[in-house]
Amino acid sequence: MKAVMRDDAQILFLTGATGCSKSLVAGHKFMDWLLYAPADATQFYMIFKDMGTGVRNFLQNQDSFYNMFDFMREKYKAGAEGGVQFTFHGLYSDKTVYIVGADDKNAWSKILGSNPDGLWLEELSVLHIDCIREAVGRALSRKCKLIATTNGGLPTQECYTEFINHAIVQFKDSVPAIELADMVEDKPYMHYYHFNLEDDAPHLTTEEKEKLKELYPKNSFYYYSKILGCRGFVEGAAYAELMDKHIHLREFDDIILNNLQEIILSVDVGSNKNISDTSKASTVATLTGFSKGYQRAIVLECWVIPAVSHDEIIRSCEEKIEWWWVKYMQKFTKIRIDSAESILINTWRERNKYPTIEVKGSIKQVAGQISLVTRCQLKQQLLVQERLLWSSHAVNSYNAHTRILLDEDGKELDLSVQDNDIADSLVYSLTENWNYLTTQTRRRA
């Protein structure tokens, strides 16, 4: 905690277990910035998941600097751009502190679009990634300080892959191996601190710590997140525990495309017109390549397409695959579309821009062989055999599969969200080559 207060790095990430005073320390660090900021630095911002969280965890929390040092600030009031604001009396000038929710894009985009002199992001793993990107971008362009806290999230979340993983780890000896494994540590202006229940919770008795540990089953997502403070996979994940990015995720430039035997575009259809809204069923086109003898399947590209109309879906997909068809025409001969979408299939077949590509409906079921359960089992088998891979151009598909959950009967749990459509669009290309893929029992060198 003392080290954080002394740390002069531009960006600080405080991660770790629940109850370790990450927010308390972040608050005091933020107040330290407010206190000593030069006279012309007057605009500071705090971003929470939503305003309700900000009110509870900061304005109403007796341990926050707002309440501990009430003689150094004025009472909060409604903010002109949304959220609330209050005045803090720094040594050299008064500072305006804005509090907004990440769920209010109108508010945070206006505020971050101005000129921040300091930023505090609370619970990164639950904030929208666009908000995080904008905040970090503004901090870098403005050369101002940023501090952020979080419990453990999913290892594939962009807050890790784009930011946290690049920070320089402090007190490395006390950081769990699962955390260190993903750390790249290539941004010296970012520092990473991991708080744990043993070293960073002196206010908790041994009995209180044991009670916390008993709240969640060991090895569950919440045990990793809250007790260990580590990134972890959601309990009940269908594929996450079988996936290893060092094995299953390959750099696109390292793939020898000429060695592929076949390329297939497979399309699942949803009604979502706003592709940034991942909570709705979306249209997804996945381009999958198969190596010689169907030893391996590799997801080459994965595109989410706005479902404006059938014509627009066809136009957008054909535009995206043009390079692939021109360069690999002899290998790229199939488009397989969700078989429930007969109108789209017939329309695409009639106006198909690429005459050498056959447009047909996907294979969803074959009695006694292909079902929702066996489709899931095939992916699991291919992952274990290291035969289902993703290129770096299809990270969205890789990440989606780390989040897919398993239903009670062994099939993928359908939550009618974009991740499910990404998973379905891939499986249509796999079922097209079901017999070839299932005759292999292991990966050949």
Side-chain angles (χ1 to χ4, degrees):
M1 295 178 184
K2 291 179 179 178
V4 172
M5 295 305 295
R6 291 192 297 264
D7 198 320
D8 202 35
Q10 184 181 4
I11 296 177
L12 301 174
F13 296 117
L14 312 188
T15 77
T18 190
C20 291
S21 300
K22 298 184 299 297
S23 297
L24 177 67
V25 176
H28 279 67
K29 183 68 172 178
F30 190 73
M31 186 181 73
D32 199 54
W33 293 344
L34 291 169
L35 187 63
Y36 292 103
D40 60 348
T42 60
Q43 308 290 312
F44 291 77
Y45 307 118
M46 301 166 57
I47 301 177
F48 293 83
K49 176 185 177 183
D50 49 54
M51 271 307 301
T53 303
V55 169
R56 288 190 305 273
N57 293 0
F58 184 72
L59 295 178
Q60 295 177 350
N61 183 358
Q62 295 307 305
D63 290 334
S64 69
F65 78 80
Y66 179 84
N67 289 308
M68 294 177 72
F69 300 93
D70 56 0
F71 56 89
M72 301 176 72
R73 52 80 178 165
E74 304 299 326
K75 184 174 174 56
Y76 70 86
K77 60 184 180 181
E81 303 292 351
V84 300
Q85 65 184 64
F86 65 91
T87 298
F88 182 91
H89 303 301
L91 287 176
Y92 308 109
S93 66
D94 284 350
K95 317 298 182 185
T96 302
V97 182
Y98 300 89
I99 304 175
V100 296
D103 61 336
D104 186 353
K105 184 173 182 178
N106 186 56
W108 64 253
S109 59
K110 282 184 179 179
I111 284 174
L112 291 176
S114 58
N115 294 310
D117 296 302
L119 292 156
W120 175 9
L121 306 185
E122 183 71 359
E123 284 296 344
L124 279 185
S125 65
V126 298
L127 301 187
H128 195 287
I129 186 58
D130 288 346
C131 179
I132 298 172
R133 287 171 178 150
E134 183 69 20
V136 175
R138 293 302 290 178
L140 294 177
S141 64
R142 282 281 298 169
K143 298 182 174 61
C144 72
K145 298 290 185 69
L146 181 149
I147 191 166
T149 71
T150 191
N151 292 128
L154 293 167
T156 54
Q157 283 182 262
E158 291 93 338
C159 65
Y160 284 108
T161 58
E162 294 183 20
F163 304 111
I164 296 176
N165 289 354
H166 298 275
I168 307 301
V169 179
Q170 311 298 302
F171 300 99
K172 194 171 284 190
D173 290 346
S174 65
V175 180
I178 191 175
E179 286 291 286
L180 290 175
D182 284 341
M183 298 302 292
V184 181
E185 298 189 79
D186 59 350
K187 306 291 185 189
Y189 57 86
M190 297 180 175
H191 283 183
Y192 167 100
Y193 290 85
H194 187 90
F195 288 61
N196 67 75
L197 285 173
E198 300 307 319
D199 300 320
D200 303 300
H203 57 291
L204 296 177
T205 65
T206 300
E207 184 180 357
E208 287 170 333
K209 291 176 185 178
E210 289 305 314
K211 284 182 179 178
L212 271 176
K213 293 176 183 178
E214 291 170 2
L215 281 176
Y216 309 106
K218 284 195 173 183
N219 298 323
S220 69
F221 172 76
Y222 286 103
Y223 186 85
Y224 275 101
S225 175
K226 303 294 186 182
I227 303 305
L228 300 181
C230 296
R231 62 200 80 184
F233 292 108
V234 174
E235 190 174 7
Y239 310 111
E241 293 182 356
L242 307 176
M243 298 171 71
D244 182 337
K245 70 177 184 179
H246 300 295
I247 295 172
H248 299 104
L249 189 59
R250 304 297 177 90
E251 281 297 323
F252 182 83
D253 292 339
D254 293 338
I255 301 167
I256 306 175
L257 298 175
N258 285 323
N259 286 354
L260 295 176
Q261 179 169 324
E262 184 178 35
I263 297 172
I264 297 176
L265 181 75
S266 47
V267 183
D268 190 54
V269 181
S271 59
N272 185 16
K273 295 179 182 179
N274 177 16
I275 61 175
S276 64
D277 186 353
T278 59
S279 66
K280 294 181 180 178
S282 306
T283 297
V284 180
T286 297
L287 194 71
T288 309
F290 297 88
S291 64
K292 186 177 180 181
Y294 298 89
Q295 275 292 304
R296 299 179 183 89
I298 182 162
V299 184
L300 301 167
E301 306 262 13
C302 180
W303 303 290
V304 183
I305 310 293
V308 177
S309 66
H310 284 168
D311 286 345
E312 278 301 304
I313 291 173
I314 295 168
R315 184 200 61 77
S316 182
C317 287
E318 289 187 336
E319 184 180 86
K320 292 180 183 302
I321 65 174
E322 181 174 8
W323 179 87
W324 289 93
W325 182 74
V326 169
K327 197 165 180 64
Y328 301 103
M329 187 184 304
Q330 292 180 320
K331 304 173 189 293
F332 188 2
T333 59
K334 295 178 182 177
I335 293 175
R336 295 297 179 255
I337 304 167
D338 182 349
S339 57
E341 300 293 327
S342 57
I343 295 176
L344 176 60
I345 295 168
N346 291 331
T347 303
W348 201 329
R349 187 182 292 133
E350 288 175 4
R351 54 163 291 183
N352 182 14
K353 181 179 177 181
Y354 306 113
T356 59
I357 298 182
E358 176 193 52
V359 179
K360 287 179 61 175
S362 63
I363 299 171
K364 285 188 171 182
Q365 298 185 76
V366 173
Q369 186 178 25
I370 301 176
S371 66
L372 292 174
V373 174
T374 59
R375 280 161 42 173
C376 179
Q377 290 173 343
L378 175 64
K379 285 186 188 176
Q380 291 171 331
Q381 177 184 335
L382 294 175
L383 285 168
V384 170
Q385 295 172 348
E386 300 178 15
R387 295 173 55 214
L388 176 56
L389 310 173
W390 283 263
S391 90
S392 55
H393 284 189
V395 170
N396 59 335
S397 177
Y398 178 90
N399 290 345
H401 280 81
T402 69
R403 297 187 290 259
I404 295 292
L405 302 178
L406 198 63
D407 210 341
E408 292 178 357
D409 57 6
K411 64 178 184 291
E412 293 177 0
L413 180 63
D414 190 353
L415 299 174
S416 297
V417 296
Q418 198 173 96
D419 283 351
N420 293 122
D421 304 306
I422 289 174
D424 285 343
S425 69
L426 169 58
V427 87
Y428 297 155
S429 67
L430 301 182
T431 56
E432 182 67 22
N433 289 317
W434 185 275
N435 290 336
Y436 297 127
L437 292 169
T438 55
T439 55
Q440 312 285 345
T441 59
R442 61 186 175 84
R443 192 191 81 176
R444 292 181 197 148

